[in-house]
Amino acid sequence: MNSKYWVVGDIVSVDASKDFWFLSCKICGGKVELVDGVRPCAQCGVVTYIDIYRYKVEVMCADESGSATLVLCDEAATELIGQTASSLGAEVKRLPDWIQEKMIVGRKALFEVVTSEKEDVESFDVCRLTVDEEIFDLYLQKYIIDQDQYSEVKAADGEEAADEEAADVKVVAVKEAADEEKKAADEEKIVREAVDEEEAVKDLAGEEEAESSEVNSKRRKIEH
């Protein structure tokens, strides 16, 4: 079972040897391949007729405890870079140096990391991130052990009691964070389902309109 956690870290490098984008399904966002001029999705079965590009960028991230390879999904990479993968164009196969140097490497971010129970995991997926320093501060204040509270407990009850109290504080903070993340995920799922449904309806209407236009065109040719 996968779990999600928020972590703060600095991006120290980008793996520029790999493609940083992929063709995706317009509904579920999964990877698709071009087959006979169309792009069928193996995950949801929807056929896409236009090129939709999504980011998949590997970075090395570090904090005081160590480093790890993170894979930035489309939403996270777009937030960091400031422009969509489609806007860069299909002809750009490797992430440009100016984007790596100015928009990615050296930046601090708060990452929502997806972890797996599998052993020997080489990288972790990042579904969301923010580079807003105010949010960093709020996160650190709410979910990292409060040092003033720790000092007060330590002075009153001794070092051992302080350690136990600090651990309790951290456990409560983590539980609150998990509850809030679940609530946000549920709300996000509802919104995405509504958006997907609306897009599907629009696509169907567009296809029906195109078919109707083609039929009318043929009819006019026959009449003339």
Side-chain angles (χ1 to χ4, degrees):
M1 181 177 178
N2 294 336
S3 300
K4 294 181 179 180
Y5 298 94
W6 287 96
V7 296
V8 175
D10 297 299
I11 299 175
V12 296
S13 65
V14 179
D15 187 346
S17 66
K18 301 178 181 178
D19 290 344
F20 67 93
W21 57 258
F22 62 93
L23 282 175
S24 72
C25 171
K26 63 183 177 181
I27 300 299
C28 72
K31 185 176 181 180
V32 298
E33 301 289 344
L34 183 62
V35 180
D36 297 329
V38 297
R39 302 151 190 79
C41 179
Q43 297 185 40
C44 69
V46 171
V47 176
T48 303
Y49 295 91
I50 60 174
D51 290 338
I52 299 176
Y53 301 95
R54 293 183 185 273
Y55 284 117
K56 185 178 180 181
V57 183
E58 285 195 15
V59 301
M60 180 64 69
C61 183
D63 62 12
E64 66 279 358
S65 64
S67 62
T69 299
L70 304 182
V71 181
L72 308 183
C73 74
D74 185 66
E75 181 180 344
T78 300
E79 172 69 21
L80 191 65
I81 296 172
Q83 62 185 99
T84 64
S86 294
S87 68
L88 294 176
E91 66 277 3
V92 182
K93 294 295 185 180
R94 295 291 181 268
L95 199 61
D97 290 341
W98 69 268
I99 289 182
Q100 296 183 50
E101 296 169 0
K102 295 183 178 181
M103 307 304 294
I104 301 179
V105 176
R107 300 188 72 180
K108 181 184 291 292
L110 176 61
F111 304 90
E112 185 177 22
V113 178
V114 181
T115 61
S116 171
E117 293 182 347
K118 296 180 181 179
E119 297 182 356
D120 300 326
V121 176
E122 296 182 353
S123 63
F124 301 93
D125 291 338
V126 175
C127 52
R128 290 186 298 174
L129 64 76
T130 179
V131 292
D132 190 321
E133 294 186 359
E134 291 185 2
I135 296 179
F136 293 166
D137 293 338
L138 290 174
Y139 171 82
L140 294 173
Q141 292 171 16
K142 187 169 185 180
Y143 299 124
I144 303 301
I145 298 174
D146 188 294
Q147 295 301 318
D148 292 334
Q149 183 177 3
Y150 181 87
S151 299
E152 292 175 3
V153 173
K154 183 175 180 179
D157 300 323
E159 186 174 344
E160 183 176 351
D163 289 337
E164 292 177 357
E165 179 69 16
D168 290 340
V169 170
K170 189 170 185 179
V171 168
V172 171
V174 171
K175 185 177 183 303
E176 290 177 349
D179 292 341
E180 290 186 6
E181 288 174 9
K182 184 177 184 304
K183 181 180 178 181
D186 291 341
E187 293 175 349
E188 183 178 355
K189 181 179 179 182
I190 293 173
V191 172
R192 285 184 176 177
E193 288 177 348
V195 171
D196 290 344
E197 183 177 355
E198 182 180 355
E199 290 181 351
V201 171
K202 289 181 179 178
D203 290 339
L204 180 60
E207 291 174 2
E208 291 177 348
E209 183 179 350
E211 290 176 0
S212 176
S213 177
E214 183 177 354
V215 170
N216 291 335
S217 177
K218 290 181 179 177
R219 183 178 299 168
R220 286 193 296 271
K221 288 181 181 180
I222 294 173
E223 291 174 352
H224 287 81

